[in-house]
Amino acid sequence: MEYGIGVDLGGTSVKIGLFTAKGKLLEKWSITTNIENDGEKILPDIARSISYKLAEKGIDKKFVGGIGIGVPGAVNDGVVNKCINLGWGVVNVVKELEMLSGIKVYAENDANTAALGEYMAGSGRTYKSIVMVTLGTGIGSGIVIDGNILHGFSGAGGEMGHIIVNTCEEEKCNCGHNGCLEQYASATGIKRLAQKRIKEFSVDISDEEAQNLGAKEIFDMAKDGDEFALSVVGEACGYLGHALASVCAVVNPEAVILGGGVSNAGSFLLEKVEPRFGKELYHACAGTKICLATLGELAGIYGAFYLIEN
Amino acid sequence: MEYGIGVDLGGTSVKIGLFTAKGKLLEKWSITTNIENDGEKILPDIARSISYKLAEKGIDKKFVGGIGIGVPGAVNDGVVNKCINLGWGVVNVVKELEMLSGIKVYAENDANTAALGEYMAGSGRTYKSIVMVTLGTGIGSGIVIDGNILHGFSGAGGEMGHIIVNTCEEEKCNCGHNGCLEQYASATGIKRLAQKRIKEFSVDISDEEAQNLGAKEIFDMAKDGDEFALSVVGEACGYLGHALASVCAVVNPEAVILGGGVSNAGSFLLEKVEPRFGKELYHACAGTKICLATLGELAGIYGAFYLIEN
């Protein structure tokens, strides 16, 4: 192949990248995700957008080795079973997109795809095995070992957001359980913890301000030494460190990579995760690195490109 | 190759099996593990025993495709760094045993090896991916995905005995941490829990009887409906179910296999693990089977045989 295409399919937009065979990103663009009528337009829109781009560039599709696509749901043999964000039920992504585009398609869960991106072209590029955790609205995670995604039997490999870290939790996670990591260390989880603690700390804040207090604001306040925010960040990062230590005892990766919006807190996040992680890490895993993702929003299209098999 | 040899190296005995190329066990025998002088005799003893057996059978070693060996410690590139049970410091198992035997050697951690045995020839034979947990004096575990052992970056893959399941634990695990799964669900852990609860339940038992109360006795009492024993079994199996649900969220295996001495409690053990496991299992992992190992003590030599590469 001379070119490959990476597609990162999200609930609001679809990011698309055109790469050379060696993984140089030539161009990236995005289109809106049209979730009307159970998302029936999504794949046709993607195929059309790729077709236009290839025409614009004067590239014949016979020189395109494949389209990799990361999808927000579990993917098994190219088939997705429910993507709530897209309005999809059962969709055979590979078959449909191949028919629409006339190009070979490779599909994978989006968190796994992002992990592959960081592994191949981001902060994981020098490591043999990584666990990549995306701390966004939810918590996605992916595991790459010797270049292979740990896909899992039913496509649920690396779903560490649903490790139960607090058996006393009374509120329910979206998944229906109580006490999942996602309820504490995702952006939504951090916001939730903050709302709960506002009263406890008698924080002087209006209801409207309280509503607008997101993970970014809380991390900023914590960096400034605010006790209330430090307490929230401490709790979230404590649970994250605990879950990461468990994951390391099972997978023993060379490195753990933190990405997603929450990871914009940078080294401050690492400092807050480290104590509990270090305390609980099994000694044979000593030396496991924790680092920040470097590809940001591009991890998805990079990883999708690397799904394409030679 | 026409034959292969599987070696299961333990702290008290070495089990050895002679297999046909297709994995039929022709003969098994064992020798005592001589741990004197930092275990310097262990590998020479194994090489000699194999040599005698081949001579006895009239098999030329050129027809032996390899020796696989499971070792009670983390193995990296054939090298073990500390096996406390054997008195070993740094030992290059592959290099030394190859020199002594004149046969190609493949070494792996014993829990990983047992997992491979169950995967290839035991209750995991019909599954694509398994997590095998050996509930013995300690807790060993191994993960096999698509025929490959999840070895881990430093050979500590699948060390789920050191997932921390109780952050309030005051006693220390052998690893130095507090609250590891091994402190509750290993044979030693179950015994420890029982000792703690004897007073709480005002159990009418002499000190000597209490000292002899092992995991087997406790499971037997629990099967007879004894409340004290049911409480101990409930706690141990609750922690085990919790840790297994976490592992499934990360690895998403097709099946979890329970082996080791504690698993002799049979279906009663599964019944006691199931409630918490089922309650905490992430929905996308629904359908994960939990079953009992079937190879018993042979899992080690079977797995060691399957380490041999064609």
Side-chain angles (χ1 to χ4, degrees):
Chain A
M1 73 174 181
E2 293 188 21
Y3 302 97
I5 288 165
V7 180
D8 182 10
L9 172 49
T12 51
S13 75
V14 186
K15 299 186 193 75
I16 311 178
L18 173 67
F19 293 83
T20 67
K22 285 189 174 162
K24 166 70 186 164
L25 179 61
L26 293 176
E27 194 160 336
K28 66 182 169 69
W29 69 101
S30 69
I31 60 174
T32 303
T33 308
N34 182 349
I35 58 170
E36 283 171 25
N37 295 319
D38 300 334
E40 64 177 18
K41 294 281 174 58
I42 294 175
L43 293 178
D45 287 351
I46 292 172
R48 192 178 317 110
S49 179
I50 291 171
S51 172
Y52 285 170
K53 183 60 70 179
L54 294 178
E56 179 194 315
K57 292 283 185 185
I59 296 172
D60 191 312
K61 71 182 174 193
K62 74 180 176 195
F63 297 115
V64 179
I67 299 172
I69 180 168
V71 183
V75 182
N76 281 304
D77 296 325
V79 180
V80 160
N81 186 354
K82 262 192 201 168
C83 284
I84 298 164
N85 298 342
L86 306 178
W88 281 1
V90 175
V91 175
N92 192 325
V93 179
V94 165
K95 199 173 155 192
E96 290 189 25
L97 192 53
E98 280 184 352
M99 275 176 52
L100 291 161
S101 67
I103 298 171
K104 182 116 180 86
V105 172
Y106 303 83
E108 181 52 84
N109 167 266
D110 57 357
N112 292 347
T113 303
L116 185 62
E118 286 290 340
Y119 179 85
M120 294 295 290
S123 64
R125 66 198 323 159
T126 60
Y127 301 125
K128 290 204 176 98
S129 53
I130 63 157
V131 170
M132 154 100 175
V133 187
T134 304
L135 305 162
T137 311
I139 291 187
S141 68
I143 299 168
V144 183
I145 301 170
D146 295 331
N148 301 308
I149 289 171
L150 196 164
H151 181 79
F153 178 66
S154 51
E159 284 289 352
M160 68 170 283
H162 298 284
I163 287 183
I164 290 176
V165 294
N166 178 8
T167 52
C168 305
E169 177 62 53
E170 289 173 1
E171 286 184 39
K172 279 210 184 307
C173 177
N174 286 332
C175 79
H177 288 160
N178 299 62
C180 293
L181 177 64
E182 187 164 292
Q183 290 182 276
Y184 306 93
S186 65
T188 322
I190 292 166
K191 185 170 179 172
R192 185 185 75 96
L193 286 180
Q195 306 297 336
K196 282 178 68 175
R197 295 228 168 161
I198 280 176
K199 279 183 195 152
E200 204 180 302
F201 275 78
S202 313
V203 180
D204 185 16
I205 192 172
S206 74
D207 282 358
E208 200 193 328
E209 284 173 320
Q211 273 303 321
N212 291 327
L213 211 53
K216 186 191 178 316
E217 290 73 28
I218 292 157
F219 267 98
D220 286 346
M221 287 166 69
K223 285 177 185 175
D224 287 342
D226 180 276
E227 261 189 60
F228 151 72
L230 278 168
S231 149
V232 171
V233 165
E235 186 174 358
C237 292
Y239 283 127
L240 181 56
H242 168 67
L244 288 175
S246 296
V247 170
C248 286
V250 176
V251 178
N252 184 210
E254 187 170 4
V256 171
I257 298 175
L258 303 182
V262 174
S263 76
N264 291 331
S267 57
F268 184 76
L269 172 68
L270 300 183
E271 281 163 29
K272 295 296 171 190
V273 172
E274 178 55 45
R276 179 113 178 240
F277 177 72
K279 185 177 168 223
E280 297 193 1
L281 189 67
Y282 181 49
H283 63 81
C285 302
T288 309
K289 290 108 189 154
I290 306 197
C291 51
L292 298 166
T294 53
L295 291 179
E297 292 210 322
L298 298 179
I301 56 171
Y302 267 93
F305 164 74
Y306 285 109
L307 291 174
I308 301 169
E309 289 167 15
N310 292 323
Chain B
M1 72 174 182
E2 294 189 20
Y3 302 96
I5 288 165
V7 179
D8 182 11
L9 171 49
T12 52
S13 75
V14 185
K15 300 185 193 72
I16 310 178
L18 174 66
F19 293 82
T20 68
K22 285 191 173 161
K24 166 71 186 163
L25 179 60
L26 293 177
E27 195 160 336
K28 66 183 169 66
W29 68 101
S30 70
I31 60 174
T32 302
T33 308
N34 182 349
I35 58 169
E36 282 172 23
N37 295 320
D38 301 334
E40 64 176 18
K41 294 280 175 58
I42 295 173
L43 293 177
D45 286 350
I46 292 172
R48 192 178 317 108
S49 179
I50 291 171
S51 173
Y52 285 171
K53 183 60 68 179
L54 294 179
E56 180 194 315
K57 293 282 185 186
I59 297 172
D60 191 312
K61 71 181 174 194
K62 75 181 176 194
F63 296 115
V64 179
I67 298 171
I69 180 169
V71 183
V75 181
N76 282 303
D77 297 325
V79 180
V80 160
N81 185 355
K82 261 191 200 167
C83 284
I84 298 164
N85 297 343
L86 306 178
W88 282 1
V90 176
V91 175
N92 191 326
V93 179
V94 165
K95 199 172 156 193
E96 290 189 27
L97 191 53
E98 280 185 353
M99 276 177 51
L100 291 161
S101 68
I103 298 171
K104 182 113 180 90
V105 172
Y106 304 83
E108 182 51 84
N109 167 265
D110 57 357
N112 291 346
T113 304
L116 185 63
E118 286 289 340
Y119 179 85
M120 294 294 291
S123 64
R125 64 198 325 160
T126 60
Y127 301 125
K128 290 204 177 95
S129 53
I130 62 157
V131 170
M132 153 100 175
V133 187
T134 304
L135 304 163
T137 311
I139 292 186
S141 68
I143 299 167
V144 183
I145 301 170
D146 296 332
N148 301 308
I149 290 171
L150 196 164
H151 182 79
F153 179 67
S154 51
E159 284 289 353
M160 69 169 284
H162 298 284
I163 287 183
I164 290 175
V165 294
N166 178 8
T167 51
C168 304
E169 177 63 54
E170 288 173 1
E171 286 185 38
K172 277 206 185 309
C173 177
N174 287 332
C175 79
H177 289 161
N178 299 64
C180 293
L181 177 64
E182 187 164 294
Q183 290 181 276
Y184 307 92
S186 65
T188 323
I190 292 166
K191 185 170 179 171
R192 185 186 75 95
L193 287 180
Q195 307 296 338
K196 281 177 70 176
R197 294 230 168 159
I198 280 175
K199 279 184 194 150
E200 203 180 301
F201 275 78
S202 312
V203 180
D204 184 19
I205 193 173
S206 74
D207 282 358
E208 201 192 329
E209 285 173 319
Q211 273 303 319
N212 292 327
L213 211 53
K216 185 190 177 319
E217 291 73 26
I218 292 157
F219 267 97
D220 285 346
M221 288 165 68
K223 285 177 185 175
D224 287 341
D226 181 277
E227 261 191 59
F228 151 73
L230 279 167
S231 149
V232 171
V233 165
E235 185 173 1
C237 292
Y239 283 126
L240 181 56
H242 168 66
L244 288 175
S246 297
V247 170
C248 286
V250 176
V251 178
N252 183 209
E254 187 170 3
V256 171
I257 298 174
L258 302 182
V262 174
S263 75
N264 291 331
S267 57
F268 185 77
L269 172 69
L270 300 183
E271 281 162 30
K272 294 297 172 190
V273 172
E274 178 55 44
R276 180 115 179 237
F277 176 73
K279 185 177 168 222
E280 297 192 2
L281 189 67
Y282 181 50
H283 63 80
C285 301
T288 309
K289 291 108 188 155
I290 307 196
C291 50
L292 297 166
T294 52
L295 291 178
E297 290 210 323
L298 298 180
I301 57 171
Y302 267 92
F305 163 74
Y306 286 108
L307 292 174
I308 301 169
E309 290 167 16
N310 292 324

